[in-house]
Amino acid sequence: MPETFWTVRWPDGSEEKLYSPSSVVAELFEAGQTYPVPDFLHRARIALQRASNRVERKFGYACSSAMAQLDRIEAKIDALPQQDGASITCLNITQ
């Protein structure tokens, strides 16, 4: 269950390195791929919940870091100006 980081470019042009306690992120995101904001958020929710569940199965407790990362992603998206067709690009994924 290797820690995984993925860097994204938000619709406003800023870039951010995101965290997952599991490589499950690489099952839902692909480096170089661009995702409409709703699709990105849907995938992030699935990935980080699965990652937290994997931690829970292994250690007996959910991963608060995964859920905190999801909270930060949701807050960032909520703060973005609403733009039709806005997208988020996955720049890279590293373990």
Side-chain angles (χ1 to χ4, degrees):
M1 187 169 30
E3 287 184 317
T4 302
F5 297 90
W6 81 106
T7 303
V8 300
R9 181 178 302 118
W10 298 105
D12 64 5
S14 65
E15 295 180 7
E16 184 174 356
K17 187 175 187 177
L18 306 176
Y19 168 81
S20 172
S22 166
S23 61
V24 69
V25 168
E27 297 171 14
L28 291 150
F29 292 97
E30 183 179 336
Q33 191 71 15
T34 299
Y35 303 90
V37 171
D39 184 36
F40 178 89
L41 182 56
H42 178 73
R43 290 168 184 263
R45 286 176 173 153
I46 291 169
L48 291 167
Q49 186 61 58
R50 284 183 187 170
S52 181
N53 291 345
R54 287 181 181 184
V55 169
E56 186 170 21
R57 281 193 303 276
K58 185 170 183 176
F59 298 107
Y61 52 87
C63 181
S64 60
S65 295
M67 296 297 90
Q69 179 63 81
L70 180 56
D71 288 344
R72 288 189 299 276
I73 289 169
E74 290 173 337
K76 175 72 175 185
I77 289 173
D78 285 345
L80 292 171
Q82 298 301 314
Q83 300 174 356
D84 289 338
S87 60
I88 299 168
T89 301
C90 177
L91 300 174
N92 64 47
I93 300 173
T94 58
Q95 295 178 352

